[in-house]
Each structure stands twice: as C-alpha cells, then as structure tokens.
Amino acid sequence: MIEDLYAQLPHAGAMCLLDRIEHWDDSALVATTRRHRDVAHPLRQQGRLHALAGLEYAAQACALHGVLLGRLDSAQTAGGNTVVATVQLLECASGDLDRAGVELRAEVRCVLRQSHSAIYESRVSDGEGWLLTASLGLMLSSVN
Amino acid sequence: MVSEALEFHLKIDLPSSCIEGHFPGRPLVPGAALCAALAQELELRLRRPVVGVAKLRFSAPVDPNAELAITAQQRSESQWRLRVAAAGQESFRGLFNLGEAQ
C-alpha cells in the first residue's frame, strides 16, 4: 500500500524512507521504518545519520497523509508536491538516528490545513523514547 | 558574553541514492540533509551537540553541486543564527540550539 502512495510523491528508490503506515485518519498519520540503521542510508553524511535527518521522516509522513486526504476529497490539494517551507521549533536527541532502536516511528498531526499550506506537529521516536519533535509549515505547491 | 561569528563554505556530500531519489529528473538537497550537514559542521567547529533548531525557513531549493556560503552569528551562550546562500541567493536561515559539551 505504501508503495502506491509513494508513487504519487516525487521521491524514488531509497529516498522513500518509510516502510509501513500503521494508522491514519483525517487529522493524523503514524508510519514506521526499520531501515534507518542501513549503512547505505541515503541521508548519511560523513559516516553519520544525524538526528536532524529525522526531519525528512516527519516530512514524508506529512506528504503521505496529504496523498491519503487527497483520495478522500478530490477537491483537496494532494500531498504529491508537499515541501517543508518552515520549521517553527524542532528539538532533537543528541544521539544519531542510526543508533536508535530497531524501529523508528513517525507520528504527524495536522493542526491547520488550507488550500496551499498546512501546519503539522510531528514526533519521531523509537522504542526507547523520542528522537525529534517539530512543528512543520508545509507548502502544497509544485516542486517542478 | 562576547558574540562570535563564523563564515565558511560547505559543499554537501550526499550518497548517489539520495540525489537520484530526491528527486528523479530534478535533484535537490533535502532540507533535512541540509540541516544535518550544518549541524555536523557546527558540532565539529564548536565541539558541542546541536539539540534543536528554531525559526527555520527554506527560501530556495539547493542544488546538490552548489557551494554554500554560510554565515553564523552567535546570539547567546547556546544559540547561533545561520544563514546559507548559494550563488548569491539566500536559501536557508535558522537558529541552532546547542547542548552542553560532551
């Protein structure tokens, strides 16, 4: 199922970071992955997967939520062209993501959605605790 | 407190799987990868961990081959303001919060 959703996003290959949608409704989505400890992770830089890279997990969860909402209501802007424009506040753990537990969990909740923008609260965690929390301002516009 | 400032250049080195997948036909540096690269550079220079960011604004896409000009200004004992420009155009700004030295 998640492959069908990613097909509506501009991401491809290893940059489709999330494996599975655990839950979603009209205001929230929870997705998980187990590939964050992959040594060939596409966001790894200089041998590290910094906790701030978790922002991409949150952003993709928001984009997937947008796709699902678009299926519910064709009048809504789908998430296929979702980009993060602003982050009001982000807090992250000082450890790297690839040292986190076996499964990462990205939880996002939409607090405001308009025709061309949205605000989401997000949280990335593992079995041990939170790794990143962020408030994301999204632009629902074309990347082309 | 004496406010410090840094100016440096940075070229982001991402795996090909990132460039190819974000996005096919129009490669762009993911905003998260830009934030992580800036955080790693700050951590190396200041020897303190980045524990958060605030008031981030991504104002223009960043090409994977771009050489980025970074201006960093200390605002308080634990916060630095970073501005990033590529080819003379600002692409990013934000406040980076630092934790205690480890």
Side-chain angles (χ1 to χ4, degrees):
Chain A
M1 177 189 177
I2 201 165
E3 292 82 3
D4 295 339
L5 301 177
Y6 268 119
Q8 295 182 50
L9 298 176
H11 307 71
M15 276 303 294
C16 299
L17 296 180
L18 295 166
D19 294 336
R20 178 182 163 95
I21 292 176
E22 304 291 344
H23 165 80
W24 76 278
D25 58 31
D26 60 358
S27 65
L29 179 140
V30 178
T32 54
T33 181
R34 292 177 172 234
R35 286 179 285 131
H36 56 291
R37 300 200 287 194
D38 188 344
V39 292
H41 194 286
L43 294 177
R44 184 180 284 273
Q45 297 181 68
Q46 299 177 333
R48 294 183 60 189
L49 187 61
H50 195 280
L52 274 178
L55 179 59
E56 182 67 18
Y57 288 88
Q60 290 193 14
C62 294
L64 292 167
H65 189 238
V67 172
L68 288 163
L69 288 182
R71 288 183 176 181
L72 280 184
D73 180 357
S74 60
Q76 290 199 53
T77 303
N81 297 315
T82 299
V83 294
V84 176
T86 61
V87 179
Q88 188 60 30
L89 179 65
L90 180 155
E91 293 180 304
C92 61
S94 55
D96 287 358
L97 277 191
D98 50 355
R99 295 182 182 176
V102 172
E103 185 171 87
L104 280 193
R105 184 178 178 90
E107 302 170 59
V108 296
R109 176 168 295 279
C110 183
V111 295
L112 178 66
R113 191 172 188 91
Q114 299 175 320
S115 58
H116 297 292
S117 64
I119 297 174
Y120 278 78
E121 300 293 341
S122 64
R123 182 176 190 267
V124 178
S125 61
D126 66 358
E128 305 294 315
W130 70 275
L131 301 163
L132 177 146
T133 62
S135 175
L136 309 181
L138 307 178
M139 294 297 292
L140 312 179
S141 58
S142 173
V143 295
N144 297 312
Chain B
M1 185 196 81
V2 177
S3 177
E4 294 185 50
L6 297 169
E7 289 188 12
F8 54 95
H9 288 81
L10 186 66
K11 190 170 184 307
I12 297 183
D13 184 20
L14 289 166
S16 58
S17 58
C18 179
I19 305 304
E20 292 161 4
H22 192 280
F23 302 105
R26 193 188 179 196
L28 298 174
V29 174
L34 176 59
C35 288
L38 293 169
Q40 288 183 214
E41 188 67 24
L42 266 190
E43 289 174 351
L44 278 175
R45 289 171 179 267
L46 304 176
R47 299 183 182 281
R48 292 171 63 183
V50 170
V51 295
V53 291
K55 297 183 179 178
L56 296 193
R57 179 171 296 278
F58 298 97
S59 45
V62 174
D63 184 283
N65 296 313
E67 181 168 285
L68 305 176
I70 320 294
T71 304
Q73 177 76 45
Q74 187 176 17
R75 295 186 80 222
S76 71
E77 192 275 330
S78 61
Q79 189 175 68
W80 286 68
R81 178 195 301 277
L82 267 66
R83 292 181 176 173
V84 177
Q89 181 185 15
E90 182 172 292
S91 53
F92 170 91
R93 65 168 62 185
L95 304 174
F96 281 66
N97 296 322
L98 302 174
E100 296 298 322
Q102 295 176 330

